[in-house]
Amino acid sequence: MIATGGLALLLVASGAGAQRGRSAAEAGVSSSALSAKAQRLVDRIATELMNATSASLPLSPAAGRAAAQVEYRTVEGFDVVAGAIDEGARRRIARVPSPEDPNDGLDNDGDGIVDEGNVVLVLDTSATPARELVLASGVTETLEGETAGNNVDDNGNGLVDEGGLSLQWQNGGTSVVIRATVGGRAPAGGVQLRTVTTTVHLRN
């Protein structure tokens, strides 16, 4: 009986250890996938803006502030006769509310994140209906560590009340700092957040 009881305890302990190992592995996979998702988003935005003309960008936001969207034109070619760049249609990158979780202060889709949104690329702002691509979902309302609407730089990055997609002009509008926070449900419950930052230098 003692031997049987000891074996049972050993099996229970082994099962608990295996479960903890599986949970840790699942959390690691989920975290890696979320990091990759955030990285793909800022990389795609950087690729878009790299081909934008600096003259087509809007005025820089006020000091200490960041934009949540940007409109621009990309270079389509060069007109040798006119000696000028040929620009394409005006495009827009913006964070918009998620259809599953409207911007109402509630977690409508039950994923633990309140008012997350999608980042979309509008291919031609003058087209009707507009053609747009969803670059990423699960983008938080504010950047990680930031509290909305308190006029304070909560996360210490030099910006105040920046959104989950944050675009900051630098060097006279010739470069843009792109920041994004993407969230998702953790395997064991709760929420995981991943924030990625990159800087893109405009070529034109």
Side-chain angles (χ1 to χ4, degrees):
M1 290 178 65
I2 294 173
T4 302
L7 179 59
L9 289 173
L10 180 61
L11 290 174
V12 169
S14 298
Q19 179 60 42
R20 286 194 297 271
R22 282 195 297 272
S23 297
E26 290 172 355
V29 170
S30 174
S31 175
S32 297
L34 202 60
S35 296
K37 181 179 180 180
Q39 189 67 58
R40 285 195 302 270
L41 171 60
V42 297
D43 287 348
R44 177 61 191 276
I45 296 173
T47 299
E48 277 289 316
L49 295 183
M50 191 178 297
N51 294 315
T53 61
S54 56
S56 70
L57 291 177
L59 294 175
S60 175
R65 299 285 178 173
Q69 68 172 33
V70 60
E71 290 192 11
Y72 58 97
R73 295 181 187 272
T74 56
V75 176
E76 298 294 320
F78 186 80
D79 187 333
V80 178
V81 176
I85 291 173
D86 287 331
E87 293 183 323
R90 180 165 289 275
R91 296 180 172 225
R92 179 190 302 122
I93 294 172
R95 179 193 175 278
V96 299
S98 166
E100 292 78 27
D101 193 4
N103 191 24
D104 58 4
L106 302 174
D107 178 18
N108 295 280
D109 55 4
D111 64 354
I113 307 173
V114 175
D115 294 345
E116 74 267 26
N118 298 337
V119 172
V120 299
L121 166 62
V122 180
L123 299 174
D124 184 351
T125 60
S126 66
T128 305
R131 286 182 56 212
E132 64 180 39
L133 304 174
V134 176
L135 302 185
S137 58
V139 180
T140 55
E141 184 176 20
T142 59
L143 205 70
E144 186 175 5
E146 194 70 18
T147 300
N150 65 356
N151 203 35
V152 174
D153 177 17
D154 301 288
N155 54 16
N157 66 358
L159 298 173
V160 173
D161 294 346
E162 70 274 21
L165 173 64
S166 163
L167 303 163
Q168 179 188 16
W169 282 226
Q170 288 188 340
N171 302 319
T174 60
S175 62
V176 180
V177 181
I178 306 163
R179 298 178 175 90
T181 297
V182 176
R185 174 72 74 181
V191 173
Q192 291 179 321
L193 300 177
R194 291 295 178 271
T195 302
V196 175
T197 300
T198 193
T199 301
V200 60
H201 303 283
L202 278 63
R203 295 173 175 172
N204 306 284

